[in-house]
Amino acid sequence: MKRELMHQAYGAMRHDMRKTVLTMLGMAWGIATVVLLLAYGDGFGGAIENIFKSFGATSVGIFPGRTSKQAGGNKAGVQIRFTNEDAELLRNVLPLARHVARSAQKDAVVQNGPRSYTFPIFGVDPSIEAIWNLKLDEGRFLNDQDSMTHGLFCVLGSEAKDKLFSGMNAIGESIRINGVSFEVVGVGHPRMQEGDSDDNRTIYVPFGSMDVLTDTHYLGGLWLDSEGLDHQHLDKTIRESLANAHGFRADDERAIQVFDAQKQLAQFGIISTGLKILLAFIGTITLGIGGIGLMNIMLVSVTQRTREIGVEKALGARKQDILFQFLAEAMVITAVGGVFGILLSYAVSFSVGSLTLYSAMAKHAEAGDIHLIVAPKILLIATSILAVVGVASGMFPAFRAANLDPIEALRYE
C-alpha cells in the first residue's frame, strides 16, 4: 500500500512538472541561503580567532601604572615599577603558568653599512616566542644561554630584515644598535600588521643583554601564558600578589593594567555567536518563504485531486494513508530541493573562497579574512531546519486532504 501511494505521489508531481520544479528551486534557494549564511557566521568567528592567535591567543600582559586610591600611608598617584623580583613572584603564585617573561622596550638607531633606521628594540626572555606565538622564517629565536651570558644576539622582524639587508642573507651578519654590534641569529615570519604598526619592524634581543642599550632595573612589563588557567582567578591572583608587594590596593584598577587576550577573545565570541544566531534566523525566514510556496502548491494539488481522493477513500484508503501520500509528496519536493541547494552552496563557497575582512586593514592578514567553508556541523543544522520547514509546509495540506469527506469529494467537479 505504501509503495502504491508513493508511486501515486510521484505521478502527481510529474503531472505538473513546471510547478514542481519551481517549488524545488524555491526550496533549493532557501537551503542554500541558510548554509551560506551559517558558513559566513562560522567564517567570521574563525577569522577573529585567527587574528588573536597570530598575536598569542593565551597571552596575558601586566603593565605598571599609577595608583588612583590611597593605600596605607601612600597617597594616590604613586608610580608602580616592576623589577625582576615581580617576575619571580608571579612564577611562585602562578605555578601552573607555563611561561613568565620579562620585557623592556626602547627605540634605537639600527645600522647595517650605509643603511640606518630607527626601530623598536624589545629586550625579552626566550619564552616570549611561545607567549606571542612568534614564527621564524630563518635561523632560531633567542635562548636561555643568550640571556644568561649577556650574548649580543638579535632576531629581526621581517620588515626590519628587508630594510637592512634588501633581500641579502642576514643570518650570521652583524648590525649596530645604538653603536653596539649584535649578531643576527633569526628572521621572523611576517605578522599581521595594521597601518603604521611596528610589529614587523621590531628587533628582539635577550633581556640580559638589553642593559647595554637602556637601564633594565625597572621592567617595561611582564607577560605570561594563561593556557589552562581560570581567567577570573588569574586576574585576582595577579592583582592581589602585586598589591601586597608594592603597597597598593588590589581593587585599584589603575595601579596595574592586565591585558588578557582570552577575555578579549571571549567578548568577540559573544558578538560572533549573536551574529550566527541572527544569520540563522534570516536564513530560516528565507527558507520559510520557500516553504510557503510549497504549501500553496500542495493546497492547489489537493483541490485539483479532490475527486481522486474521494475514489481512494471509497476503495478503502484510510486517513493516515492519504496523509502519508501528500506528506511524502511534500517531503520529496523538499528533499530534492535541499540536495540541489546544498550543491549550490558548495559551488558558491568554492568559487568565492574567502571574503575580505582583516586584510583590508592590515598586511599579511589573509588568515583574518572570512573563509566560506561548509562544515558538517553547518549541514546538520541546515538539514534540520529544512526538515522542520518541509514537514510544517506539507502537514497542513496533507491534513486537509486526509479529512475530506469521501461523499463530498466524489461529487466534486
Side-chain angles (χ1 to χ4, degrees), residues 94-408:
L94 299 170
L96 297 181
R98 296 193 302 171
H99 306 290
V100 176
R102 303 164 294 174
S103 72
Q105 190 261 337
K106 178 182 177 62
D107 288 344
V109 176
V110 182
Q111 297 172 298
N112 178 36
R115 298 182 179 90
S116 180
Y117 301 92
T118 299
F119 289 142
I121 312 299
F122 273 84
V124 293
D125 287 323
S127 55
I128 208 72
E129 179 184 14
I131 296 173
W132 287 353
N133 194 27
L134 298 174
K135 307 293 184 183
L136 296 182
D137 276 349
E138 302 176 54
R140 64 171 179 85
F141 197 71
L142 308 170
N143 56 40
D144 291 325
Q145 185 177 358
D146 295 336
S147 191
M148 289 187 295
T149 60
H150 297 266
L152 298 179
F153 301 106
C154 68
V155 174
L156 304 181
S158 59
E159 194 173 328
K161 187 260 186 181
D162 291 339
K163 288 182 177 295
L164 290 170
F165 289 91
S166 299
M168 296 185 294
N169 176 61
I171 303 299
E173 301 295 327
S174 293
I175 60 173
R176 299 184 69 81
I177 304 176
N178 278 1
V180 181
S181 181
F182 283 78
E183 180 185 340
V184 179
V185 295
V187 176
H189 182 74
R191 307 188 77 194
M192 295 185 187
Q193 176 176 294
E194 292 185 27
D196 294 328
S197 171
D198 289 326
D199 286 337
N200 290 318
R201 292 188 285 272
T202 299
I203 296 177
Y204 306 95
V205 303
F207 187 85
S209 308
M210 188 68 175
D211 57 3
V212 302
L213 303 175
T214 187
D215 183 8
T216 57
H217 178 70
Y218 294 116
L219 311 180
L222 293 164
W223 290 87
L224 57 89
D225 189 338
S226 65
E227 186 175 358
L229 301 179
D230 182 340
H231 291 267
Q232 294 297 332
H233 179 69
L234 175 66
D235 186 275
K236 181 181 178 182
T237 301
I238 290 172
R239 291 188 178 279
E240 288 181 351
S241 59
L242 291 176
N244 290 333
H246 291 272
F248 62 85
R249 292 174 57 176
D251 61 350
D252 189 345
E253 296 287 335
R254 295 185 180 180
I256 60 170
Q257 284 81 48
V258 179
F259 167 79
D260 189 338
Q262 279 293 303
K263 284 187 177 180
Q264 299 290 323
L265 181 58
Q267 292 173 0
F268 277 102
I270 294 172
I271 297 173
S272 177
T273 301
L275 178 64
K276 290 177 185 178
I277 294 172
L278 174 62
L279 293 176
F281 178 71
I282 294 172
T284 302
I285 290 176
T286 305
L287 185 56
I289 294 172
I292 291 173
L294 172 63
M295 184 185 296
N296 285 335
I297 194 175
M298 293 303 300
L299 287 172
V300 171
S301 178
V302 170
T303 302
Q304 292 175 339
R305 294 156 60 189
T306 300
R307 188 174 180 83
E308 176 189 328
I309 295 169
V311 171
E312 289 180 7
K313 286 195 169 188
L315 293 175
R318 297 167 298 175
K319 278 189 176 182
Q320 55 262 41
D321 296 327
I322 304 298
L323 182 70
F324 175 80
Q325 178 183 349
F326 281 87
L327 189 58
E329 188 175 330
M331 293 310 295
V332 168
I333 294 174
T334 300
V336 175
V339 170
F340 281 112
I342 290 172
L343 292 176
L344 175 62
S345 66
Y346 269 109
V348 172
S349 66
F350 279 123
S351 60
V352 172
S354 63
L355 300 172
T356 301
L357 181 65
Y358 196 51
S359 64
M361 301 176 284
K363 300 176 183 177
H364 314 294
E366 290 74 16
D369 288 338
I370 297 172
H371 297 275
L372 291 180
I373 299 175
V374 182
K377 176 184 68 175
I378 291 174
L379 289 181
L380 179 62
I381 295 172
T383 303
S384 300
I385 296 173
L386 176 67
V388 171
V389 171
V391 170
S393 300
M395 191 62 75
F396 178 69
F399 269 119
R400 183 171 178 178
N403 289 321
L404 284 176
D405 182 84
I407 297 175
E408 293 297 327

